[in-house]
Amino acid sequence: MATALISHKACLGHVTPPGHPERVARLETVLAALELMDLVRVDAPFAAEDDVLRAHPKSYLDHLAGSVPENGLVALDPDTFLSPQSLEAGWRAAGAVVKGVDMVMGGEVANAFCAVRPPGHHAEQATAMGFCLLGSVAIASKHALDHHGANRVAVIDFDVHHGNGTQALLEDDPRILFCSTHQVPLFPGTGEAADDGPHGTVLNLPLRRGCSSGDFRAIVSNHVVPRVEAFSPDLILVSAGFDAHQNDPLAETDLDTEDFRWITGVICDLAEKLCGGRVVSSLEGGYDLDALAASVRAHVEVLEERGR
């Protein structure tokens, strides 16, 4: 068995304004960090429309398509932009995670990492926000249930920002557990601990400003691990944001590269115990390029080691 790296050059064509933190250089840096690793490299396909429609209404998809500029940029909100190739990038980002699910559930690879942009975990049903267009991990979660006979799927989101979009897209389905660690207060202002969703399948774990490695590891060990174990999923999907790193410019959490290596190991331990090691991870945030490169490399090294 092996680890798949799923990406596409179209994700480099999604352009944002000068100085924007979610920039092309992020993905260039990630791909360079993984260049020499022994991974199964796969081009991300377009997501199938029926998969995307499980998460987003057709009216929203039409709105996005109608908003793509022939040249230049269009602002969907103060933080979220479309360039001429952005929509292809978004559809391929979603398609990458779906492809990862297909490969892992089909036994082609042990696990997968999707090196894609734009990210997805802030996109709500009919709202692009927080740099995100389509809810890639949510789309792939529903695909696993409907196409691969999974009974339960767990999503673990360790991005420093709350995955409000993923929660909104998944919380009505009791077959999906959504666990999020995130700094509070911070954009998007959601994710309070008391918000556990209509079926109690949401676990929000707010982190204080300056949250230390020890505090983070205790929260994950004492809350995420037992909750996922009790849920006993057939697949674990990961929203892998690396912006809780102490060097990241958009937050104030005090984690380092080894914390991302550690949580990846914890997730793989859970997957090996509960679901045959099946993990599909997708890039979300991370805006200091050096920290991003080191953290992604650590994350994928663990996946590759466990996937042998």
Side-chain angles (χ1 to χ4, degrees):
M1 297 291 276
T3 295
L5 172 64
I6 308 174
S7 190
H8 198 279
K9 63 182 181 181
C11 294
L12 297 168
H14 169 55
V15 178
T16 53
H20 195 285
E22 207 298 279
R23 57 204 191 274
V24 174
R26 293 183 65 243
L27 184 54
E28 292 174 334
T29 297
V30 165
L31 294 175
L34 303 178
E35 185 175 6
L36 299 180
M37 292 188 66
D38 184 17
L39 306 168
V40 177
R41 296 169 192 273
V42 180
D43 277 344
F46 277 90
E49 186 176 62
D50 63 337
D51 282 326
V52 179
L53 287 171
R54 290 187 180 88
H56 302 286
K58 184 66 162 56
S59 58
Y60 173 62
L61 302 183
D62 290 343
H63 168 68
L64 287 180
S67 301
V68 175
E70 291 186 9
N71 50 68
L73 298 173
V74 166
L76 298 174
D77 72 9
D79 297 317
T80 311
F81 293 84
L82 291 175
S83 65
Q85 295 186 52
S86 294
L87 198 55
E88 178 182 356
W91 278 77
R92 288 193 185 274
V97 194
V98 171
K99 179 67 173 177
V101 168
D102 288 341
M103 295 182 75
V104 168
M105 295 298 287
E108 295 179 61
V109 294
N111 52 48
F113 178 69
C114 303
V116 291
R117 55 183 291 277
H121 75 150
H122 294 308
E124 298 185 344
Q125 283 91 343
T127 305
M129 62 182 294
F131 317 156
C132 302
L133 302 179
L134 299 174
S136 303
V137 166
I139 290 164
S141 300
K142 293 173 179 285
H143 177 83
L145 294 166
D146 291 348
H147 284 271
H148 290 285
N151 293 312
R152 291 172 301 280
V153 172
V155 175
I156 298 174
D157 184 335
F158 56 74
D159 191 281
V160 80
H161 302 92
H162 178 239
N164 60 297
T166 304
Q167 178 176 333
L169 294 171
L170 298 181
E171 65 181 357
D172 288 334
D173 192 330
R175 301 172 297 172
I176 304 174
L177 173 69
F178 175 65
C179 302
S180 176
T181 59
H182 48 273
Q183 182 183 315
V184 171
L186 194 66
F187 176 89
T190 53
E192 294 297 328
D195 181 7
D196 62 356
H199 301 288
T201 51
V202 172
L203 178 63
N204 282 316
L205 297 165
L207 309 176
R208 60 175 176 80
R209 284 192 177 111
C211 177
S212 69
S213 171
D215 289 342
F216 174 73
R217 295 187 185 203
I219 287 168
V220 171
S221 298
N222 295 333
H223 298 279
V224 175
V225 169
R227 188 61 178 277
V228 174
E229 286 181 337
F231 194 71
S232 190
D234 301 306
L235 170 71
I236 298 175
L237 284 157
V238 182
S239 277
F242 301 95
D243 39 5
H245 195 284
Q246 59 195 359
N247 293 341
D248 199 274
L250 298 192
E252 302 142 311
T253 302
D254 198 26
L255 305 189
D256 62 24
T257 300
E258 291 308 304
D259 292 309
F260 296 111
R261 188 186 302 276
W262 174 82
I263 193 172
T264 309
V266 169
I267 291 168
C268 288
D269 287 344
L270 285 167
E272 288 166 8
K273 180 178 181 179
L274 301 170
C275 55
R278 292 187 289 271
V279 175
V280 179
S281 175
S282 186
L283 179 66
E284 298 282 2
Y287 305 100
D288 179 274
L289 296 184
D290 290 341
L292 176 63
S295 300
V296 169
R297 174 82 185 198
H299 179 65
V300 178
E301 282 176 346
V302 176
L303 293 177
E304 192 272 333
E305 178 184 336
R306 297 300 187 91
R308 292 175 190 163

